[in-house]
Each structure stands twice: as C-alpha cells, then as structure tokens.
Amino acid sequence: MILTFKKISIYILLSLAVLSCNHTQRNFEPENETEEIRINQLGYLPHRVKKFVVVNTEASEFEVVDRNGKTVFSGDLIDQGEWTSSGEQVKIGDFTSFDEAGLDYRILVEGTGLSYAFDISYDVFTEAGKASIKSYYFQRNSMPIEERNGGKFARPAGHPDDTVYYHSSSGRSSGFKSSKYGWYDAGDYGKYVVNAGVSAGTMLALYERFPDVFADGSLNIPESGNGQNDLLDEIRYELDWLITMQDNDGGVFTKVTTKNFVGFVMPHETHEDRYFIGKSTAASLNYAALLAMASRIYQEIDSEFAEDILNMAEKAWNWAVTHPEKYYRNPEDIFTGGYGDRNVTQEWFWAAAELYITTGEERYLEPISNKLDKIQFNVGGSWANYQDKIGYFSLLGKNSPLDDTGKSTIKTSLINLTDSLGTVLESTPYHIPIDRFVWGSNSDILNTAVLFANAFLETGDPKYLNWSIETTDYVLGKNATGYSFLTGFGDKKVMHIHHRPSGADGIDEPVPGFVAGGPNAGMNDRNDLGEGASYPDQTHPAKVYIDAQGSYASNEVCLNWNAPMVYMFGFLEGVKY
Ligand code: 9MR
C-alpha cells in the first residue's frame, strides 16, 4: 500500500517535471511575453475570423493556451515570406475554429514566446467602441468637459467662439459673428468644414445602417438620458457648429482657426483671435452633402431643424454650382491646416447623392447617374477622396429612391473594388489591403475595412466580413510596430499622441479613444520631433512610426481618422450574433 503510494507520488513528480520542461514558455512571466506575436490586443469575437502574425520564427506550429497554461487549440503557422515593407519574415496563425469564449488566452509559439493575454468574447470591442465616439465629446469646444462625463479628463470650457472675426479671405473686410460648438479637428484647435463633413458623414452612414447601436445612455455624454441615440446627440453638437459656417450668399467658409497653430496648452488657456477663413467649393459641397444627409436622419427627432438644414444644404449646393472652381489655399498670413483639394469630383458626387436621396428630386440624379459604376479607393485620400464612398453607401441604403438597376450597378462596382482590395490583402503578408503608408495611414486601412463591411452588408458573403475584421485587427495590434493605435486600449499602448489636451493636462495617459495616424514613410515631421527624438526605423515604411508628441505626421489624432474606427466598432456590434 505504502509502496504504491510512493510510486504514484514519484510518477506525479516526474510528470510535472516533464510538463514544466516542455512548457517553460507557458510560464506567464513578462520575459516570456514577446512582441514578435502580433494579435488584436482587444481580443477576438466568437464565430468570427481569428488570425495573428508572428515574425522571424523558425516554428511551424502554434498553440492557444488558457490562463492555466493548458493547450486548448493548436494549429500550423502559414509562411507568408518576407514583407519588404517591414523587413520581417512573416507567418500567420489561424484559430478561427476555436470558439470557446473566455478570458486571458495567449498564443504560444515555441522558441518565440507568449503573446499578450487576450479574451474571446462578444464584448471585446464594446468599451473601445464607446470610447472611440466619446473621443469626439472630448474634442468639444465652447463647453466644459464635466467630471461626471469625462472623469479625470474633465477640463474647463475652451474657445467660446462667440466672437469669430471675418478674415479678409472670407470676402468681408471687417466684423465678427458667433461660431460656437463643434469639435476640435485633431491635435490642433481648428475647426475645418471639409474634415467635419467626411467624419460626421461616415458616422451618420453607420447610424443609417445600424440605428440601434450606441443607444441613448451608452456613452455617458451630457445628452445621455434624453431619449435619443447618443451617437446622434454627439454628431448634433458638430452640426450646431457647422450651420454657423454658411455665409449669406450660401457659400461656406473653409475653417475657423487662429492665424498660427498655438503651443501645447489646454484649450481654455489660449485666447488668440479666431477667424472665418475663405469660402470654397469643397467646403460648400461637403456642407451640402452632410446637411442633406442629416436632414433626413434628424427628421424624426427635430423636424424644424431638419427642414432648416435642408434649406442650408440646397443654398450651399447652389453656391457651388455658381462657384465650381473656388479651390482653397491658405492666405499668406494663415498657417493652420490647409486641407487643400483641387479635385472636387468626390464632393460633387456625395452632395448630389445625399440631396437626391433626401429630396427625391431628379435634378440631383443627373450629375451622378453616369458615375454609379465608378467607386474607387485611393491611398492617402481619407479626407479628400473618401466622401463619395459615403454617397455610394447612402444610395444603396434603405432611404434611397434609386431604382434597382442603379443599385445593382453600384453593388457590382463595390464588389469589383473590394475583390481587388481583397486580392491585395491575401497576397500581403500581414493580410491588409494596402501596402503604402502615408500621413494618416491608419485611416486608409480603416476605410478599406469600411468598404469590406459594406460589401458584406450587400452580399452576406462572409469573406468580406473576414477581410473587414483582419483589416481592423491591424490597427489594434496586428501591425509591424506592435502598437495598439487606439489610445487607452491594448497592451502596447500609444502614450504620447500629438494632441494638445493630452500633452498639457498633466495626466500621464492620453485622452482615450483616439486613433493615432500611424506609420508614414514620408516622415514629414522628421525635423520637428523634439530634442533627440528620431524615427527608430526609417527604412521600412510599415515601421516608420514614433510614439512621440512632436510627431504630427505619424502620431497625431484626427476626426476623420477616428470616424472609420467608430464605423467598424459599430458595424461589428451590429453584426455580432
Ligand atoms: O490629414 C491631413 C493629411 O492628409 C495631410 O497630408 C496633412 C498635411 O497637409 O494634413 C493633415 O491634416 C491635418 C490638418 O491640416 C490640420 N489638423 C490636423 C490634421 C491631421 O494631421
């Protein structure tokens, strides 16, 4: 009896020794955690594609282990060869068929190490989705961010904007008026119509498809509890500013800014004069498009407002018709963002599409009818060339009066585009649909995810859903820098975004919910990074990124870079089950 007991004890001890020998890397010590495994650091959804990248490894297999170190899934690593854009040997692991919801799983690759811990759950994106919209709330000017809504990021009101002067480029030689409300554009405190248009438009497109996501009370903004969808409440704050941007003749001022960018101070600490600057065709068309779209969406909530903004949209359209080539350039005494755009084809399309849908008037169909088969995607065009995509999505939507032939023409065009982006994705080692990295590259990536999402909504074909998720994974950690680019979320977090309040508020962490611009091979800010700072990798485009406050060209945040992130979180919420 005693002997048998001894034997059993020895056997147990030996087995434990063998186990610990085989699985030294299961030991969840920080030294076994590796940055060479690139996962979506927010986690993965059950019943959805689940892939990751591992670089520079000899291994040909991987395991998914649970928090006790037990293997719950194993699979082969698929060799993708070298990615010249990152200079890495890339392998992909796929554990899509593992669907057990749970917390703190890790990927184990023998010889490489363990990934960060991740969850598989229906809620992995829920908080991040809310934060990605809440970031717009944090950008509000003309009102304080109260502690009950903003927590430790509460701050006094910045920029009342009740006295904004007419700059000579506005067409008036003197005077001022109010231009209250709205969101700061980015890391700077300007308010720019063209970028407001594409950002709010992208989010209204999400609402029109999925009116139940981000319901009242979900965001804890001041309007939460008023019985209206919180996303619509947040966008209304921007619309209330935008309506101040129209001149009496219908033309729309391009922006409200100071003459120069101010330093890294809190919004309430800057008191420089702000100006209405230059009317332009692009601003007027963006305004027309967004307000026409908003008019039908806000109709049920506030019909008077809806009617007013439709009139404003029509006036702006008419002004653009009579001023088709008023391209914006910064006047010589203005040094804030240019957002110059000499090709307004996309703006015409978007404005005509939204006016057609909201009014049903055939005269707006004419300028778009021969472009229904021409949906395109250009890298680097996230504010200048993305607006027409919103128009195409709206024309396919439930409120569109477009006939079936027109809708199927758009659908075919969308499928052709997304199939070609999908071909690039399948042949790019990191499984992303573009392989060029310019200013705001993360928004290029996210905007292609939005295209895939819409192809899925049109066809129900899961390959588009998978592509949209693999593309979104990139921004949340499955990328060559290893960062999760969404502030406040992930394991390797971006900490030093080029965002004045985040830099000046004395709080270590940045304001949460912002997407950093991402790798930018152009390094346009290489001389402004600050004392001793330089890009750690200047030769591999997918790695040309620095988490430094001075880096406005790779680490700024911007309304139009967050909008497709919001769209993807909302979409994934909407198709969750
Ligand atoms: O997003 C814009 C990018 O495409 C341009 O290359 C860059 C330089 O003109 O400007 C970016 O927009 C900035 C804007 O002009 C001012 N606010 C911050 C924006 C993000 O960097």
Side-chain angles (χ1 to χ4, degrees):
M1 190 70 200
I2 293 172
L3 254 182
T4 321
F5 178 70
K6 250 192 183 168
K7 265 189 194 161
I8 292 172
S9 312
I10 289 168
Y11 177 77
I12 291 174
L13 278 174
L14 274 176
S15 321
L16 279 176
V18 170
L19 263 179
S20 64
C21 234
N22 272 349
H23 301 291
T24 42
Q25 287 167 322
R26 274 167 216 264
N27 179 358
F28 299 152
E29 296 299 326
E31 62 266 24
N32 283 334
E33 216 171 59
T34 175
E35 286 191 13
E36 312 264 277
I37 302 175
R38 314 267 162 75
I39 60 169
N40 181 329
Q41 295 171 22
L42 272 60
Y44 294 87
L45 292 164
H47 308 295
R48 297 284 177 254
V49 67
K50 299 176 202 68
K51 292 191 187 173
F52 66 91
V53 158
V54 54
V55 297
N56 305 332
T57 182
E58 296 295 317
S60 53
E61 291 165 357
F62 72 95
E63 292 166 45
V64 179
V65 295
D66 69 13
R67 63 199 332 176
N68 303 314
K70 183 175 151 229
T71 301
V72 292
F73 184 88
S74 48
D76 293 335
L77 291 172
I78 304 146
D79 197 352
Q80 308 287 311
E82 186 190 352
W83 192 27
T84 48
S85 294
S86 71
E88 297 163 324
Q89 293 294 331
V90 178
K91 291 182 179 173
I92 283 201
D94 181 350
F95 57 107
T96 305
S97 58
F98 179 68
D99 264 330
E100 197 74 34
L103 307 180
D104 296 334
Y105 292 112
R106 289 170 193 262
I107 307 291
L108 170 65
V109 176
E110 292 288 347
T112 295
L114 282 161
S115 72
Y116 304 120
F118 62 87
D119 301 342
I120 297 178
S121 140
Y122 286 109
D123 297 326
V124 284
F125 301 137
T126 307
E127 288 313 309
K130 292 178 192 172
S132 67
I133 303 172
K134 189 86 178 258
S135 72
Y136 291 85
Y137 164 69
F138 286 117
Q139 293 291 82
R140 289 190 190 188
N141 58 71
S142 314
M143 67 176 283
I145 302 299
E146 304 284 0
E147 203 187 331
R148 67 173 181 281
N149 304 117
K152 66 178 172 185
F153 299 101
R155 59 166 173 79
H159 301 91
D161 278 348
D162 48 2
T163 309
V164 173
Y165 298 97
Y166 290 104
H167 182 263
S168 55
S169 63
S170 70
R172 293 171 189 236
S173 51
S174 63
F176 62 86
K177 70 166 182 167
S178 169
S179 188
K180 285 170 86 73
Y181 315 124
W183 306 313
Y184 297 125
D185 184 58
D188 66 308
Y189 293 136
K191 301 195 277 192
Y192 307 76
V193 171
V194 290
N195 206 35
V198 68
S199 307
T202 299
M203 294 191 285
L204 283 183
L206 168 71
Y207 176 83
E208 210 167 27
R209 277 286 178 161
F210 296 101
D212 298 328
V213 298
F214 308 119
D216 185 39
S218 59
L219 300 182
N220 183 24
I221 55 177
E223 298 78 9
S224 295
N226 67 357
Q228 311 297 349
N229 177 284
D230 275 1
L231 177 58
L232 284 193
D233 282 333
E234 192 49 58
I235 296 170
R236 174 72 189 256
Y237 195 78
E238 181 76 342
L239 295 171
D240 284 340
W241 160 65
L242 264 171
I243 59 180
T244 72
M245 294 302 283
Q246 187 163 45
D247 201 1
N248 298 341
D249 64 355
V252 177
F253 302 113
T254 295
K255 60 182 176 178
V256 163
T257 71
T258 46
K259 290 192 173 181
N260 292 288
F261 286 127
V262 300
F264 266 68
V265 293
M266 291 299 281
H268 63 280
E269 286 167 346
T270 78
H271 305 286
E272 285 83 351
D273 289 343
R274 284 157 68 93
Y275 298 88
F276 289 104
I277 303 167
K279 284 181 272 191
S280 68
T281 313
S284 302
L285 289 171
N286 268 282
Y287 180 100
L290 183 70
L291 292 195
M293 186 183 195
S295 171
R296 66 174 180 270
I297 293 173
Y298 286 80
Q299 178 67 40
E300 271 183 24
I301 299 176
D302 185 344
S303 57
E304 206 178 310
F305 176 70
E307 234 169 82
D308 287 350
I309 59 177
L310 183 56
N311 284 333
M312 295 172 186
E314 287 171 323
K315 271 176 74 182
W317 168 271
N318 292 337
W319 188 89
V321 169
T322 51
H323 301 78
E325 289 179 358
K326 192 109 173 69
Y327 302 121
Y328 181 77
R329 274 191 62 187
N330 266 346
E332 52 187 25
D333 61 337
I334 300 290
F335 299 95
T336 50
Y339 284 126
D341 185 1
R342 296 186 66 81
N343 178 354
V344 288
T345 332
Q346 291 79 8
E347 285 87 339
W348 281 113
F349 185 91
W350 185 31
E354 301 300 347
L355 281 159
Y356 171 59
I357 298 167
T358 303
T359 65
E361 289 176 25
E362 295 288 318
R363 70 185 168 115
Y364 295 117
L365 181 58
E366 200 258 318
I368 53 175
S369 54
N370 64 348
K371 297 199 174 75
L372 299 179
D373 60 344
K374 299 209 169 35
I375 187 165
Q376 286 173 351
F377 184 80
N378 301 309
V379 169
S382 55
W383 54 273
N385 296 327
Y386 199 74
Q387 299 95 330
D388 62 335
K389 268 44 120 213
I390 306 170
Y392 285 107
F393 303 153
S394 296
L395 286 165
L396 287 171
K398 63 177 190 293
N399 293 320
S400 169
L402 191 65
D403 61 20
D404 288 347
T405 318
K407 284 187 176 168
S408 93
T409 306
I410 297 180
K411 188 169 154 182
T412 307
S413 181
L414 174 66
I415 297 313
N416 289 340
L417 172 63
T418 44
D419 280 349
S420 70
L421 289 166
T423 306
V424 179
L425 179 146
E426 295 287 356
S427 65
T428 304
Y430 267 69
H431 277 208
I432 49 168
I434 57 177
D435 201 347
R436 249 186 80 210
F437 298 85
V438 302
W439 199 316
S441 63
N442 281 337
S443 74
D444 284 331
I445 303 264
L446 286 167
N447 277 322
T448 59
V450 173
L451 284 163
F452 288 140
N454 277 274
F456 173 68
L457 292 172
E458 287 307 312
T459 63
D461 184 338
K463 86 177 172 196
Y464 299 111
L465 177 59
N466 292 348
W467 286 340
S468 79
I469 294 173
E470 287 190 67
T471 305
T472 305
D473 288 341
Y474 167 93
V475 173
L476 302 172
K478 194 202 69 176
N479 62 68
T481 72
Y483 279 100
S484 159
F485 286 114
L486 183 70
T487 58
F489 292 86
D491 299 276
K492 184 174 175 182
K493 290 188 174 64
V494 164
M495 291 298 284
H496 309 288
I497 49 173
H498 184 88
H499 179 238
R500 282 164 176 72
S502 293
D505 62 8
I507 300 169
D508 284 348
E509 307 97 86
V511 183
F514 287 95
V515 176
N520 172 7
M523 292 187 283
N524 316 57
D525 51 8
R526 53 153 75 79
N527 299 323
D528 301 321
L529 295 178
E531 222 19 61
S534 65
Y535 281 97
D537 187 326
Q538 311 198 355
T539 46
H540 300 105
K543 289 189 154 195
V544 181
Y545 167 78
I546 181 168
D547 181 21
Q549 180 178 290
S551 182
Y552 49 83
S554 85
N555 210 29
E556 188 164 358
V557 300
C558 202
L559 301 180
N560 72 311
W561 303 342
N562 252 68
M565 183 87 260
V566 169
Y567 193 104
M568 285 313 299
F569 283 138
F571 162 76
L572 291 172
E573 184 73 24
V575 299
K576 189 148 97 165
Y577 301 109

